[in-house]
Amino acid sequence: MEPHEEKPIIYTMENKPIVTCAGDQALFAALYSALAQQLPREPMEWRRSYGRAPKMIHLEANFVQFKEDLLPKEGNKALLTFPFLHIYWTDCCDTEVYKASVKEDMLRWQTTLKHHGSQDWLIIVVESDAKKKNKTNLLPRTSIMDKIRNDFCNKQSDRCVSLADPLKESSRSQESWSSFLTKLRTLLLMSFTKNLGRFEDDMRTMREKRTEPGWSFCDYFMVQEELAFVFEMLQQYEDALVQYDELDALFTQYVLNFGAGDGANWLGSFCQPVRSWNGLVLRRPIDMEKRELIQRGEASLLDLRSYLFSRQCTLLIFLLRPWEVTQRALQLLHNCVQELRLLEVSVLQGALDCWVFLSCLEVLHRIEGCCDRTQLEANCSHTVGLWTYATEKLKSLGDLCGLVSKNGPNSEDLNRTVDLLAGLGAERPETVNSPQSPYKKLKEALSSVEAFEKHYLELSHAAMEMYTAIGRMRSARLVGKSLAEFYMRKGDPQSAEGFLQDSLKSYVAEGWSLQVTHTRRQVAECQKLLGQTEDYLQTSALLASDANLTDEERKHFCQEILNYANQGTQSQDQKVSLSMVAFAQLRELRFQPASPTVHVGAALQLELRLCSLMPVAVRLEQLAVSMHFSVEQPGQRGAPTSSTSTTPQRRNPTQGGTSGGGGTSCGVTPDGTVVFPAVSPAGGGLLGAGVGGPGGGPPTALELYEIQDRSPSDNSLNTTGVVCKNVHLLLRRRDSSTSLDAASAGGGAGGVVGGSTASGGTASVAMEDGTQMLKTENVTLLPGNNSIPFTAPSEKPGTYTLRQVCATVGRLQFVLPHIYPTVHYAVYSQEPQLTIEPLTDNLLAGLPQKVKFTIVTGHYTVKKGDALQLSNTESMPILHTNSCTARIASSTGEPVGESALSIHSSEKVTSISLPPTPPYHTLDFQLEVLCHIPASPARPETERLTNGEVRHRPKSRTRYNSGMAVVDQKVSIDCPWSIYSTLISLTFAIPFKAKHSLLSAGKRKYVQVCLQNVSDTTFRLMDPTVTQRQQDSSLELHSLNAKAQQLVYSKQSVFCLWEVKWASDPPACLQFSFSASFAPAEQADAEFKPYCYDFQLERVSTLYSLKAEIRPADGEQQCRTGTLCGLEVAITRLTEPSESERDEEETTESEGLRTTKLMYEVVDNSSNWAVCGKSSGVVSMPVAASATHRVQMEVMPLFAGHLPFPSVKLLKYLPHNATPAIQPDTDSCLENDNLSLLDKGLEDQADTASLRSRGSIHSLGSSDQLQPPASRGLPMPRLEPFGPGQVFNCSQGRQVLVLPATDDHILEVNAT
């Protein structure tokens, strides 16, 4: 809309509170100008009743001469004409004059006020200096004031005010004038508040009587509007707006009650027929014509609503809320239409449309008059609703008056137009000079077809642009659809199609099925008129499958398709291709047999279940399925990484590679069925799902495959990667591809059609060239589900992907461009394969175990005479019987037959004759094998024996999760289909774990063997024995075991003990063999199998004995805590060294006495003792039997009780040139002044700290007088531990009683 040439004037209320002036009018006239200007300058706080918030207001007054006619009459409730304050002005200074005339005039004035009940008055006595000079004999001023107060203000002395010469500019005059203004504002506000409160109470009382007969809404309306006028007069526009809103709500409630059957009598005046529909009047602050109609009770519903809204509009603009005007206007226009229907008011057809149209434009003009263009553009979201409503009403008027039809209006339409224009009346004076007034626009639009089209298109495009600018595309499409209907009625389908296509896109994308159906019918009508054959056929197919239409309508569109398809015989090149989405949907695909993976030459049936969406049976000349064939290269295999598609996972059927491809489909059910999602072609989306990708369907999923390149020789992985096989669906231009393709790609078997093609746009659908086809002829599709079988080719190995489905009906081809989810089936050519696997989780060594031989024949045919040649090994013989049977099964696992095996064994080879087996079958049989347990199984490195000895062993394989050692047995097999031997490895777990230890008791020696069952099986153990591997007659083993047979449960250990006795000196190394027989406990008749364990013992003789004694301090019978005690350690050589020991032992000879150096150390790891002084040292020990060396030191018990003796250790002290019997670790050395314990395998590494902390280093250094080496490269002394059993500690486990330091006992007793 164009802006006005001149903005309308905003009129304000001229009414002000009335103040009457009596007395000297000349005096008042001299002061009127200053009084009227200065009274509203200072704000006053207005406190109202009922807890309402106070407000600051500026008081103005309309000063008029006092007349008795101005005083309110009985029953007059008008506030605007009510005088709130009465002032009497006088400047009398003469007492005589006062008595003669002024007093009588005042008395008459007051008597009149009292007669009318007015109590708000004020007497002002003006003091004039000029009169004082002229009359010097006058009494003092106070005497006149006192007389007036005594005569008229006995109880209200503040009602008489003295004003000192206000026309002068002296300070006294200014102060007096300011005080007078304050008094005047206060009295005026008090009177205003009092009378306003009384008026509100009367109004409230009147409203409470609304249920009584004779109550009139119009009378109440005028009363409450008086209150609104008063608030507006005080510039309290918010309070004034509340009054009109309350009137609006009250009237609306009565209308609703009337519609519900509870009508008021006064509503009858508003039910009179509407004779004028000239719209809202918003260019006047008060529409006095309509107000007078309301006051007389002659207003119609439209008059009341128009006047009420005009007042609300004026106040909202005063409040700077113009956008609320548009919101309220739209609600008003809709509500008025409904209220006229509820009140059953007689309205000329089209009159309401005229009233709404004029009102919309009037509101828009009013808003444009108070806002600039920038504000209008920024807030078009508030005005676009009025533009749209005006457009709808103008279109309705055009339909009514025959301005939209092709032939133009007839005589009846012209008469109707004249009647409507007559109801508009004459144009208002405010808009006569405006060329773009609503009145002129409506009159011009109804005058001719061309003018109507101009104005209608102008309004429609303006509304669409506004909706588009604010992002309300649905509303813009709705206006566009209305435009399309206008063009269709005008016979212009070319212009209508674009708007219909845009609307259809929105409806399809958002899933509005009924709107899609209605719009699609309109599109079909356009396409038929425009001669767009292919698009019309596609849209007809969509409508024929639309369940929102009746059967007759669906059959009509289906017959349109069949009529075109049967028009003559056309060549294949001239056939029209359409999308199958609306014609039929692919619901299921079933493989027979159920697996989508078959071998070359196998029979495979594909059964398609098509759901025909046509309402009648349709005969297909041909139904074809196109396939894409891909050959998998040898050494490659892939697996899909997308879980949403039913793509086959490729598997490698042989160890040596494939010549084809095998696969399974992750979306295939166990019975071989692939289910496709059902879609709604009319709505363009998945049933039960939300809107997906373009056109409403789900987005196209990535078909990702893992590609592995393996070596053909050893099947090792060379490279790996990921490839996308449907890149042609993903990487393409969206603007150049039709929405049908996108929807079909996204919707797959039941693809979704959206956008322009869904409504019948250009559809470019064609079958792919150069592909294999599955075809069937002369198929009749019945409405609903139909099953069509196909025979799938399986001559070549590879992957067959189903791409498209095409149904041919005469000249038409219905094509499903892409089947989604993607469906594959794989044809593989497999090499023969032999696998050997155990029947249990673990194969146990030492017991007969069953293994399963499985032969997958692949493309090889097992002939009579073919045999497997197995190489024999001594450690794992093959146990066989004559009753061994082989089972033959098909590729699907169905049993085919059984055949007895013929097994022949020789010294080196076991031959197994195979029964004849067809290709792609499975042959399996079972054999028993026995793996012998090695006599000396390897242990993990640095394994510790039960007595703490560290044994260094080579590394071996151990199952650390179970603790079992394993033995790998390799078998070489010659297969008849290969010139190469196949090497198979079987892993056996040793069920037992054995450990040995040497125990000493003085010179007596014992051998202990710990046998632990590390398997999950319970065994029976029998006859555990220990024998010498090198027989020595002087050695005797005495068994101390009580049971000859016992059970060994899982994870349980059995300990066996033998005492070793010898007649002469024992050898340096003793070699033993432990053996026992075992069998599974659950098998009562199981044969016992042997178990052997070889071990050896070195340096078993006891060389030294240690004996410690602790003595209490002198004078004490027992040791006490905190008291030093004596510790004596006796080191005794028990035997003479043997010849082998002499070679190993480092000795020195002095004066015929051979000695060896030993180091002792006393430590207490439990912190029970404090070793005082020297805790370690080096002694020279004579190499002779019974030689004894005693060491004495002091220890202090730290705790009371039976304390164990401190630990005493004895080590060999070797010079730097000596070769130790046990090689120490590389870090075992003497660094600088410190001695370190050399063997890291010792249990107690904390002894080193004890050794270093207690000063033994200095003692050792001083006794041996060793100088610290200059560098780490110099030779240094070493320490070497004795072997197990060479040192016997007689005090091991002894305890001594330690008493507390004091024997004081305190017993506290509380007596009550």
Side-chain angles (χ1 to χ4, degrees):
M1 175 180 286
E2 297 180 0
H4 299 294
E5 288 74 9
E6 50 183 353
K7 295 185 178 180
I9 300 174
I10 301 177
Y11 295 93
T12 60
M13 288 295 298
E14 298 296 335
N15 297 323
K16 299 176 183 178
I18 296 177
V19 178
T20 65
C21 296
D24 192 346
Q25 297 297 320
L27 175 63
F28 167 71
L31 299 176
Y32 171 74
S33 178
L35 183 61
Q37 292 180 4
Q38 296 183 24
L39 180 63
R41 287 185 180 177
E42 296 294 333
M44 293 291 291
E45 185 181 30
W46 183 25
R47 295 182 176 273
R48 303 176 60 189
S49 58
Y50 299 107
R52 286 172 283 193
K55 295 183 179 180
M56 301 300 293
I57 62 173
H58 293 266
L59 283 175
E60 295 183 87
N62 185 14
F63 294 94
V64 298
Q65 186 177 356
F66 175 78
K67 295 179 181 180
E68 188 175 355
D69 296 339
L70 296 175
L71 297 178
K73 305 296 188 297
E74 183 70 23
N76 187 3
K77 302 184 183 305
L79 279 177
L80 295 177
T81 60
F82 181 83
F84 290 96
L85 186 63
H86 305 276
I87 303 177
Y88 189 92
W89 297 83
T90 183
D91 59 352
C92 177
C93 299
D94 190 351
T95 307
E96 296 301 329
V97 175
Y98 168 74
K99 290 181 179 180
S101 59
V102 175
K103 180 178 180 181
E104 293 180 3
D105 191 36
M106 284 186 181
L107 186 59
R108 286 194 301 270
W109 174 68
Q110 283 230 341
T111 303
T112 304
L113 294 179
K114 290 179 181 179
H115 178 70
H116 290 83
S118 179
Q119 300 177 359
D120 299 312
W121 50 268
L122 178 64
I123 299 175
I124 300 175
V125 180
V126 179
E127 177 184 344
S128 176
D129 292 340
K131 288 188 176 184
K132 285 184 178 182
K133 292 178 182 179
N134 295 332
K135 299 179 180 182
T136 57
N137 59 343
L138 296 178
L139 293 175
R141 177 72 184 173
T142 55
S143 62
I144 297 296
M145 289 291 297
D146 292 341
K147 284 182 176 297
I148 294 175
R149 285 174 178 167
N150 291 332
D151 294 339
F152 302 101
C153 307
N154 291 328
K155 297 181 180 180
Q156 295 176 313
S157 59
D158 58 337
R159 294 287 180 170
C160 186
V161 178
S162 174
L163 184 60
D165 205 352
L167 299 179
K168 288 190 176 182
E169 296 184 357
S170 63
S171 60
R172 179 172 175 270
S173 299
Q174 294 295 330
E175 182 179 356
S176 175
W177 180 257
S178 176
S179 176
F180 162 67
L181 289 177
T182 303
K183 172 64 72 174
L184 180 59
R185 293 189 190 104
T186 304
L187 293 177
L188 182 58
L189 186 60
M190 289 173 57
S191 174
F192 185 81
T193 304
K194 179 179 64 175
N195 289 281
L196 184 63
R198 187 183 300 118
F199 181 85
E200 287 180 330
D201 292 339
D202 294 341
M203 184 189 71
R204 196 174 295 109
T205 302
M206 185 178 181
R207 184 173 57 196
E208 291 173 354
K209 296 179 180 180
R210 62 186 180 273
T211 58
E212 298 179 1
W215 187 85
S216 173
F217 176 79
C218 293
D219 295 339
Y220 175 76
F221 182 92
M222 303 308 294
V223 172
Q224 189 159 1
E225 191 183 27
E226 283 284 334
L227 181 61
F229 284 157
V230 171
F231 286 126
E232 186 178 1
M233 176 180 65
L234 298 175
Q235 298 182 0
Q236 301 301 310
Y237 303 119
E238 190 70 47
D239 292 332
L241 182 62
V242 169
Q243 308 309 314
Y244 287 109
D245 289 344
E246 289 180 355
L247 288 171
D248 190 352
L250 181 62
F251 185 78
T252 301
Q253 187 61 49
Y254 270 103
V255 174
L256 294 176
N257 293 343
F258 183 87
D262 183 14
N265 295 331
W266 56 265
L267 273 175
S269 62
F270 295 99
C271 297
Q272 56 185 324
V274 177
R275 294 182 174 83
S276 175
W277 41 86
N278 54 0
L280 298 174
V281 180
L282 303 181
R283 303 175 190 237
R284 307 173 189 170
I286 300 178
D287 189 351
M288 297 305 299
E289 297 176 3
K290 290 186 172 57
R291 188 173 189 275
E292 290 175 359
L293 291 175
I294 297 173
Q295 191 172 11
R296 295 196 304 266
E298 299 175 359
S300 66
L301 176 67
L302 293 183
D303 293 334
L304 175 66
R305 284 299 187 185
S306 298
Y307 176 76
L308 189 58
F309 181 77
S310 66
R311 296 296 302 134
Q312 292 172 322
C313 174
T314 301
L315 295 172
L316 286 171
I317 291 177
F318 285 158
L319 291 169
L320 302 179
R321 289 150 58 181
W323 311 118
E324 190 175 340
V325 175
T326 61
Q327 179 183 355
R328 290 185 176 221
L330 200 58
Q331 296 176 358
L332 167 75
L333 299 177
H334 286 286
N335 291 339
C336 282
V337 175
Q338 299 300 324
E339 288 175 352
L340 288 172
R341 293 177 182 174
L342 288 175
L343 296 179
E344 300 177 357
V345 178
S346 175
V347 184
L348 180 66
Q349 186 179 9
L352 271 182
D353 296 336
C354 292
W355 183 79
V356 171
F357 177 81
L358 291 173
S359 300
C360 288
L361 295 189
E362 179 69 12
V363 174
L364 292 172
H365 277 270
R366 188 69 180 89
I367 297 301
E368 289 177 357
C370 61
C371 299
D372 55 26
R373 181 174 292 275
T374 305
Q375 291 176 319
L376 290 173
E377 292 177 354
N379 294 275
C380 61
S381 61
H382 298 90
T383 60
V384 66
L386 292 174
W387 285 99
T388 306
Y389 203 18
T391 305
E392 293 175 1
K393 293 307 175 183
L394 185 60
K395 181 185 177 185
S396 178
L397 287 172
D399 294 339
L400 185 64
C401 299
L403 299 173
V404 185
S405 61
K406 296 181 181 180
N407 302 324
N410 53 28
S411 58
E412 184 181 353
D413 297 332
L414 293 176
N415 292 332
R416 188 179 294 113
T417 304
V418 171
D419 294 338
L420 291 175
L421 293 177
L424 298 180
E427 188 173 4
R428 302 187 186 98
E430 298 88 359
T431 62
V432 170
N433 297 327
S434 175
Q436 295 294 329
S437 66
Y439 181 87
K440 290 185 177 67
K441 279 195 172 186
L442 178 59
K443 196 169 183 179
E444 181 184 356
L446 297 181
S447 62
S448 66
V449 175
E450 293 77 11
F452 174 82
E453 183 174 354
K454 171 193 169 186
H455 287 286
Y456 176 71
L457 293 179
E458 177 185 347
L459 291 175
S460 298
H461 287 290
M464 289 181 65
E465 290 175 1
M466 292 182 187
Y467 279 130
T468 305
I470 62 178
R472 292 177 58 180
M473 300 308 299
R474 291 195 191 100
S475 300
R477 298 284 189 265
L478 189 60
V479 176
K481 187 180 178 187
S482 180
L483 263 178
E485 294 173 355
F486 170 77
Y487 283 122
M488 288 295 293
R489 296 189 63 179
K490 298 289 289 184
D492 187 6
Q494 185 69 39
S495 302
E497 186 189 15
F499 293 109
L500 291 175
Q501 294 285 10
D502 291 340
S503 299
L504 185 56
K505 287 180 183 178
S506 299
Y507 296 148
V508 169
E510 298 175 10
W512 301 98
S513 61
L514 291 177
Q515 286 81 350
V516 167
T517 303
H518 181 263
T519 309
R520 193 170 277 155
R521 291 181 62 183
Q522 295 174 317
V523 171
E525 183 180 355
C526 285
Q527 293 167 345
K528 187 173 183 179
L529 294 174
L530 293 174
Q532 299 174 356
T533 304
E534 293 187 16
D535 296 339
Y536 175 67
L537 292 174
Q538 183 67 69
T539 307
S540 297
L542 291 167
L543 291 171
S545 62
D546 197 333
N548 293 322
L549 296 178
T550 62
D551 291 341
E552 290 74 13
E553 291 173 320
R554 294 179 61 191
K555 290 178 182 179
H556 164 72
F557 288 107
C558 181
Q559 193 60 41
E560 290 283 303
I561 300 172
L562 297 179
N563 291 340
Y564 178 83
N566 298 327
Q567 288 179 3
T569 304
Q570 301 291 336
S571 63
Q572 182 69 22
D573 296 337
Q574 296 176 338
K575 289 193 175 183
V576 178
S577 295
L578 302 177
S579 172
M580 188 185 283
V581 173
F583 179 74
Q585 291 183 359
L586 180 59
R587 293 294 176 84
E588 280 186 6
L589 185 146
R590 177 170 296 178
F591 292 96
Q592 295 179 355
S595 174
T597 303
V598 296
H599 57 79
V600 174
L604 179 63
Q605 294 288 329
L606 297 182
E607 182 180 340
L608 299 184
R609 186 161 70 89
L610 280 177
C611 179
S612 176
L613 303 178
M614 295 295 101
V616 297
V618 179
R619 179 180 173 276
L620 305 181
E621 296 179 3
Q622 184 187 78
L623 182 64
V625 179
S626 67
M627 296 187 301
H628 177 267
F629 173 72
S630 61
V631 179
E632 187 177 6
Q633 297 298 325
Q636 294 187 356
R637 57 179 178 177
T641 59
S642 173
S643 62
T644 59
S645 66
T646 58
T647 52
Q649 291 183 347
R650 313 274 178 85
R651 60 183 174 88
N652 187 17
T654 65
Q655 290 284 11
T658 66
S659 59
T664 60
S665 294
C666 60
V668 180
T669 59
D671 60 349
T673 302
V674 179
V675 180
F676 298 93
V679 298
S680 173
L686 292 174
L687 292 178
V691 178
T700 303
L702 293 174
E703 294 182 25
L704 297 180
Y705 280 73
E706 178 189 2
I707 297 299
Q708 297 179 355
D709 184 13
R710 294 184 176 273
S711 173
S713 59
D714 56 356
N715 201 35
S716 61
L717 180 64
N718 294 333
T719 59
T720 185
V722 176
V723 64
C724 178
K725 288 200 172 183
N726 63 339
V727 68
H728 61 289
L729 301 180
L730 301 169
L731 301 181
R732 60 178 180 177
R733 293 178 57 188
R734 290 292 179 186
D735 54 352
S736 62
S737 63
T738 64
S739 58
L740 177 63
D741 291 335
S744 299
V752 180
V753 177
S756 62
T757 306
S759 57
T762 302
S764 177
V765 183
M767 292 292 291
E768 298 177 354
D769 296 331
T771 58
Q772 298 188 23
M773 304 288 287
L774 302 178
K775 298 181 181 180
T776 182
E777 308 288 341
N778 298 325
V779 178
T780 299
L781 287 185
L782 300 176
N785 293 327
N786 299 265
S787 296
I788 301 97
F790 294 91
T791 300
S794 60
E795 292 79 12
K796 297 180 181 180
T799 301
Y800 295 80
T801 304
L802 276 63
R803 292 288 192 187
Q804 297 178 321
V805 180
C806 177
T808 304
V809 183
R811 301 172 60 190
L812 297 179
Q813 283 186 336
F814 293 94
V815 180
L816 181 63
H818 308 286
I819 296 178
Y820 183 85
T822 308
V823 178
H824 303 262
Y825 72 90
V827 178
Y828 64 90
S829 175
Q830 184 179 2
E831 295 291 333
Q833 178 183 356
L834 170 64
T835 57
I836 302 177
E837 55 186 355
L839 297 181
T840 57
D841 293 338
N842 293 319
L843 292 175
L844 296 180
L847 295 176
Q849 300 289 293
K850 285 188 176 183
V851 293
K852 182 180 180 181
F853 287 71
T854 303
I855 300 175
V856 179
T857 59
H859 61 78
Y860 181 79
T861 302
V862 179
K863 301 175 292 295
K864 184 177 181 180
D866 288 346
L868 296 179
Q869 306 292 333
L870 280 67
S871 61
N872 294 337
T873 60
E874 295 181 357
S875 58
M876 191 190 72
I878 295 177
L879 310 177
H880 60 85
T881 60
N882 295 328
S883 61
C884 186
T885 303
R887 289 174 295 274
I888 303 174
S890 64
S891 59
T892 59
E894 299 178 0
V896 175
E898 294 185 357
S899 177
L901 290 179
S902 175
I903 303 176
H904 303 281
S905 297
S906 63
E907 182 179 356
K908 296 183 178 181
V909 176
T910 297
S911 177
I912 304 174
S913 298
L914 301 177
T917 307
Y920 298 103
H921 281 61
T922 302
L923 175 68
D924 65 86
F925 55 90
Q926 297 179 8
L927 293 180
E928 282 191 346
V929 295
L930 177 64
C931 175
H932 296 297
I933 300 177
S936 299
R939 293 185 177 87
E941 197 171 11
T942 66
E943 183 181 355
R944 187 180 300 276
L945 301 180
T946 56
N947 62 345
E949 180 184 357
V950 177
R951 300 295 299 272
H952 298 276
R953 300 286 187 181
K955 294 182 178 180
S956 65
R957 294 182 58 201
T958 306
R959 294 188 179 179
Y960 293 101
N961 56 349
S962 62
M964 291 189 291
V966 296
V967 178
D968 291 335
Q969 297 289 348
K970 298 185 182 298
V971 181
S972 176
I973 304 176
D974 292 334
C975 303
W977 54 80
S978 176
I979 61 174
Y980 302 102
S981 297
T982 302
L983 191 63
I984 300 295
S985 178
L986 294 177
T987 301
F988 292 84
I990 301 177
F992 296 106
K993 182 178 180 181
K995 297 181 181 180
H996 69 277
S997 59
L998 178 65
L999 306 179
S1000 301
K1003 293 184 179 182
R1004 300 177 66 178
K1005 298 296 178 180
Y1006 301 88
V1007 174
Q1008 178 180 275
V1009 176
C1010 173
L1011 187 65
Q1012 182 183 3
N1013 180 6
V1014 293
S1015 69
D1016 296 329
T1017 307
T1018 301
F1019 294 101
R1020 289 177 291 156
L1021 191 67
M1022 185 175 65
D1023 297 335
T1025 58
V1026 170
T1027 58
Q1028 302 180 58
R1029 284 187 288 168
Q1030 297 178 355
Q1031 293 296 328
D1032 187 355
S1033 59
S1034 62
L1035 191 66
E1036 181 183 353
L1037 289 171
H1038 179 63
S1039 175
L1040 301 178
N1041 304 310
K1043 295 182 179 180
Q1045 182 176 346
Q1046 57 184 324
L1047 291 177
V1048 184
Y1049 296 95
S1050 175
K1051 314 305 178 186
Q1052 185 186 26
S1053 299
V1054 174
F1055 292 87
C1056 303
L1057 188 65
W1058 288 267
E1059 183 178 1
V1060 184
K1061 299 180 180 179
W1062 50 81
S1064 59
D1065 294 337
C1069 179
L1070 299 177
Q1071 296 183 352
F1072 296 101
S1073 177
F1074 170 79
S1075 63
S1077 299
F1078 68 99
E1082 62 270 11
Q1083 301 177 10
D1085 56 347
E1087 182 181 357
F1088 281 87
K1089 300 295 181 181
Y1091 174 80
C1092 297
Y1093 169 69
D1094 296 339
F1095 62 93
Q1096 66 180 15
L1097 300 175
E1098 298 178 353
R1099 299 185 297 274
V1100 299
S1101 300
T1102 304
L1103 300 180
Y1104 297 96
S1105 68
L1106 294 176
K1107 186 175 183 181
E1109 292 290 343
I1110 297 179
R1111 298 184 180 85
D1114 295 340
E1116 296 288 342
Q1117 295 183 354
Q1118 299 288 344
C1119 296
R1120 294 184 180 272
T1121 58
T1123 304
L1124 292 177
C1125 302
L1127 172 64
E1128 182 181 82
V1129 178
I1131 305 173
T1132 304
R1133 177 81 182 206
L1134 297 181
T1135 59
E1136 293 286 346
S1138 61
E1139 294 182 0
S1140 60
E1141 291 174 349
R1142 287 195 187 98
D1143 297 336
E1144 296 176 359
E1145 198 170 8
E1146 291 293 330
T1147 59
T1148 57
E1149 188 171 354
S1150 176
E1151 298 178 359
L1153 181 62
R1154 296 176 64 249
T1155 59
T1156 183
K1157 290 187 176 181
L1158 304 176
M1159 178 179 174
Y1160 67 90
E1161 182 181 12
V1162 178
V1163 294
D1164 182 35
N1165 296 326
S1166 58
S1167 301
N1168 292 323
W1169 301 87
V1171 181
C1172 303
K1174 185 176 179 181
S1175 62
S1176 62
V1178 177
V1179 298
S1180 295
M1181 191 70 185
V1183 184
S1186 301
T1188 302
H1189 187 91
R1190 300 181 184 274
V1191 178
Q1192 295 182 352
M1193 60 190 70
E1194 292 181 335
V1195 295
M1196 179 185 295
L1198 303 179
F1199 302 98
H1202 291 276
L1203 301 183
F1205 275 39
S1207 176
V1208 182
K1209 294 185 178 181
L1210 195 63
L1211 304 170
K1212 297 179 183 179
Y1213 183 83
L1214 304 177
H1216 61 81
N1217 57 354
T1219 301
I1222 300 177
Q1223 293 295 332
D1225 295 340
T1226 56
D1227 58 350
S1228 301
C1229 59
L1230 186 68
E1231 298 182 356
N1232 297 334
D1233 295 335
N1234 297 340
L1235 286 176
S1236 61
L1237 297 181
L1238 304 181
D1239 194 334
K1240 296 298 181 181
L1242 294 178
E1243 295 179 357
D1244 219 343
Q1245 296 295 340
D1247 298 347
T1248 305
S1250 175
L1251 176 67
R1252 293 175 180 174
S1253 62
R1254 294 195 170 100
S1256 60
I1257 300 168
H1258 304 287
S1259 173
L1260 177 62
S1262 62
S1263 63
D1264 286 338
Q1265 297 180 358
L1266 293 174
Q1267 298 298 326
S1271 65
R1272 293 178 60 92
L1274 296 179
M1276 293 171 289
R1278 294 183 299 277
L1279 295 177
E1280 180 180 325
F1282 285 96
Q1286 288 187 310
V1287 177
F1288 179 71
N1289 191 347
C1290 300
S1291 303
Q1292 184 75 27
R1294 288 188 61 187
Q1295 294 180 341
V1296 61
L1297 177 62
V1298 178
L1299 301 179
T1302 59
D1303 197 17
D1304 297 333
H1305 298 279
I1306 300 176
L1307 180 63
E1308 295 183 1
V1309 179
N1310 294 328
T1312 58

